[in-house]
Amino acid sequence: NSFSLYISIPFCPTRCSYCSFVSHSIANPNAKKLIPQYVEKLAREIEITGEYADKLGLKLESVYWGGGTPTAISADEIDFLSQTIIKSFDIEQCREYTVEAGRPDTVTKEKLSALRQNGVSRISINPQTFNNDVLNNIGRIHTAEKTIEAFDLARSMGFDNINMDLIAGLPGDTVDSFAASLSTAIYKRPENITVHTLALKRSSTLVTGGKYTTDNNLTAEMLEIAERQLSRNGYSPYYMYRQSRSLGNLENVGWCKEGFECIYNIFMMEECHTVLAAGAGAVTKLKQPSGPYIERIFNYKYPYEYISRFDVLMDRKTRISSFYESYKL
């Protein structure tokens, strides 16, 4: 009878060249103007999802905001959605509450304050690399120094469970440069460091532009360095998965200090309980109680479609109740 709650914020400051997610750059005025309507509809979906969870007696284990970049929206919008979650769910029993603040250029004192005041216990601040030339190659508009500044700000405000992502195999990166990025991340001592392998997704501009050449051996060497250095510095691997079209069919590994395993990541990898999801591109996964069967409810991918067809989507989500009813003893 347990579940996790996933909240989708499909907006980013800019689109990274390797990205294939349904995420819109708020640098585009047409995308940015959708945010107020999107937040309003998302809040309503959160309320409706909370009603289902309450009627079915489901216990909230973890909350995870992903995207996109959730901190791409304003501090007031973060606070509004956070308050909606608090009113709709019993978060007192929630074991972990994560919000991705992945793009350092979206991190402000006001946004971090809104997260802290509403019970968020874990955040991600993701450099991907600490090499400014590589950041420029992948379409990120922040610097490595901005990542360190955002991390230090979060620490100063009391966040004691922070994840950092790095990506092996980025265009223009070298083994030495990747090792230097890894050393910088380790020096900052985040509780989690997730090491991804670059995946060449067909819809990413990195692939559609046709300018990227691969070197699987170099990427493999980067991952070997990560394994050695993270192990030596008190991090242990606790989850692993592979993406399609990743360089050399290499893996993504989550590393953490003892006691800081992200339970949402484990739930997702193991598919051991229900995930109720809200927002554009989100997928609700209904897990059969005491059985292996999983049924999925797909939300509309794009924010404009999510907004315009919201009522149709809510009709689709009535399946949550009938799914659990069908497994009553």
Side-chain angles (χ1 to χ4, degrees), residues 84-105:
T84 303
I85 291 171
I86 290 171
K87 293 172 185 175
S88 303
F89 297 90
D90 181 7
I91 68 166
E92 292 297 321
Q93 62 184 347
C94 179
R95 296 166 58 192
E96 177 186 271
Y97 192 152
T98 298
V99 173
E100 290 186 359
R103 290 286 292 264
D105 42 326

Side-chain angles (χ1 to χ4, degrees), residues 110-159:
E110 292 74 21
K111 293 177 186 181
L112 291 176
S113 179
L115 298 177
R116 284 284 293 168
Q117 292 173 8
N118 287 292
V120 173
S121 59
R122 181 179 183 273
I123 61 172
S124 290
I125 296 175
N126 299 332
Q128 315 302 16
T129 175
F130 284 99
N131 182 315
N132 285 330
D133 290 335
V134 178
L135 284 170
N136 184 62
N137 289 344
I138 61 177
R140 288 207 166 202
I141 58 175
H142 65 84
T143 62
E145 292 74 21
K146 180 62 178 177
T147 303
I148 293 171
E149 179 185 318
F151 183 93
D152 290 344
L153 177 62
R155 277 286 195 245
S156 72
M157 296 181 67
F159 285 95

